Amino acid sequence: MSHPPVSVPHDHGACVHEALARAQTICDARGVKLTPLRGQVLEIVWRSHKPAGAYEVLDELQKVHKAARPPTVYRALEFLEAEGLIHRIESQNAYLGCIEAGAPHSSQFLICRGCGAAEEIADRELDAAIAVAAKRARFKAERKTVEISGLCARCT
Amino acid sequence: MSHPPVSVPHDHGACVHEALARAQTICDARGVKLTPLRGQVLEIVWRSHKPAGAYEVLDELQKVHKAARPPTVYRALEFLEAEGLIHRIESQNAYLGCIEAGAPHSSQFLICRGCGAAEEIADRELDAAIAVAAKRARFKAERKTVEISGLCARCT
DNA sequence: CGGGCAACGTTACATTGTAACGCTGCTGCG
DNA sequence: CGCAGCAGCGTTACAATGTAACGTTGCCCG
Ligand SMILES: [Zn+2]
Ligand SMILES: [Zn+2]
Ligand SMILES: [Zn+2]
Ligand SMILES: [Zn+2]
């Protein structure tokens, strides 16, 4: 049940709905709590395929939760990232919903400077190439991040 | 003339000296100016194999240049990065001297959470794997960043 | 010899991220 | 039941990182 490329039009409401349902299932299975607050933050992050900054999330969150403050958001984002439900896009200090939540995987993104969208690619071969490169340097890899920026098919 | 792994002891003074000389040569060849200020910033970044934050650089710079302010540092860093003399480590908002200055290449790092050092690996196969992954998604890659964090050989 | 530009100075501010402590409501146990 | 302990969240204040905007200086070239 893999996600279609974000650059092709699709029913994004379904993206969001499925991501939330999936997150709920995962959290239940793990015995951790996807509280309403966390769910709202996850939903906000998922609203688009463009990475959302913490303060962008905060602005949105405050529309339904006036008391929200930066720590509120950062805690929720930290939880969601720890559970593998979102990824942090390091080159943008921003967050994006994970398309393969539940399956441990490295973070690989194609970030379009034209439309701003970021597409997660879960490329096994790339992942393997990274593992090899790390091994070659006798480095114990724990977290692997790939961020490729450029132009997506539609923006070329 | 490749750099030894940073995790093995080496004459780091030589690292710095060579990096500066090389930078001068490159800038001369390109007709751009490695001004004293830029040279000082480059030297500061090169002082260790741990990525240096902009404000860390600022603190050091102020020891010899009291008037320095954030824009001073950011401009120099921007110049140095544009000329490929340093890399920005996105996951740390920090900068590190490039070991292959002059040769265009993607940014690939092994970042040790034990000692804080970051080692640049100029891995051709990894670079190729990224290119393939991007092509597969019909994405025009312009900038490729790989940041692998974990433990280096000495910290394991 | 002066117009134009790159580099740098300077001020002020914007954005992003955290420390620290308190409150509350649930949960598990005597 | 009654309450200790803890996760989650509220709240305040601040730290760290990054930039806009404009002024000044000195060099190069016409
Ligand atoms: Zn979608
Ligand atoms: Zn993912
Ligand atoms: Zn060295
Ligand atoms: Zn490099």
Side-chain angles (χ1 to χ4, degrees), chain A residues 84 87 98-101 105-106 109 120:
Chain A
H87 292 283
C98 172
I99 60 165
E100 287 213 322
H105 58 280
S106 65
F109 293 92
E120 180 170 4

Side-chain angles (χ1 to χ4, degrees), chain B residues 7-31:
Chain B
S7 53
V8 314
H10 61 278
D11 175 0
H12 188 60
C15 278
V16 178
H17 186 268
E18 189 194 312
L20 288 175
R22 187 168 180 72
Q24 189 60 258
T25 304
I26 291 169
C27 288
D28 288 350
R30 290 182 188 165

Side-chain angles (χ1 to χ4, degrees), chain A residues 37-119:
Chain A
L37 190 58
R38 291 166 175 175
Q40 283 161 8
V41 168
L42 181 58
E43 193 268 333
I44 289 168
V45 169
W46 260 107
R47 275 186 195 163
S48 86
H49 289 287
K50 304 184 194 193
Y55 280 72
E56 228 172 299
V57 172
L58 178 57
D59 288 344
E60 285 303 305
L61 184 58
Q62 284 181 335
K63 291 181 183 170
V64 296
H65 189 88
K66 240 183 87 181
R69 296 283 176 263
T72 315
V73 169
Y74 279 103
R75 284 167 186 156
L77 291 172
E78 186 181 15
F79 169 86
L80 295 170
E81 201 192 1
E83 296 302 327
L85 303 174
I86 62 174
H87 292 283
R88 178 181 166 90
I89 308 296
E90 302 289 358
S91 58
Q92 306 196 133
N93 299 333
Y95 299 82
L96 194 63
C98 172
I99 60 165
E100 287 213 322
H105 58 280
S106 65
S107 178
Q108 307 173 347
F109 293 92
L110 303 174
I111 304 163
C112 180
R113 68 170 165 78
C115 62
E119 172 162 358

Side-chain angles (χ1 to χ4, degrees), chain B:
Chain B
M1 178 25 297
S2 117
H3 197 279
V6 301
S7 53
V8 314
H10 61 278
D11 175 0
H12 188 60
C15 278
V16 178
H17 186 268
E18 189 194 312
L20 288 175
R22 187 168 180 72
Q24 189 60 258
T25 304
I26 291 169
C27 288
D28 288 350
R30 290 182 188 165
V32 297
K33 281 177 258 190
L34 187 64
T35 64
L37 189 58
R38 290 166 176 173
Q40 282 162 8
V41 169
L42 181 57
E43 192 268 333
I44 289 168
V45 169
W46 260 106
R47 274 187 197 163
S48 88
H49 289 287
K50 303 184 195 192
Y55 280 72
E56 229 172 298
V57 171
L58 178 57
D59 288 345
E60 285 304 305
L61 184 58
Q62 283 181 335
K63 289 179 184 170
V64 296
H65 189 89
K66 240 183 89 181
R69 296 284 176 260
T72 314
V73 169
Y74 280 104
R75 284 168 186 155
L77 292 172
E78 187 181 15
F79 169 85
L80 295 170
E81 201 193 1
E83 296 302 328
L85 303 173
I86 63 175
H87 292 281
R88 178 181 166 90
I89 308 296
E90 302 288 359
S91 58
Q92 305 196 132
N93 299 333
Y95 298 82
L96 193 63
C98 173
I99 60 164
E100 287 213 322
H105 57 281
S106 64
S107 177
Q108 307 174 346
F109 293 92
L110 303 174
I111 305 163
C112 179
R113 68 171 165 78
C115 61
E119 173 164 357
E120 180 170 4
I121 51 174
D123 190 306
R124 300 295 192 129
E125 294 183 38
L126 178 48
D127 205 20
I130 294 172
V132 169
K135 188 157 199 175
R136 199 175 290 155
R138 278 193 268 294
F139 188 89
K140 180 161 178 263
E142 290 170 350
R143 197 179 167 157
K144 300 174 258 180
T145 301
V146 180
E147 294 179 15
I148 308 172
S149 69
L151 287 174
C152 73
R154 297 214 308 171
C155 290
T156 303

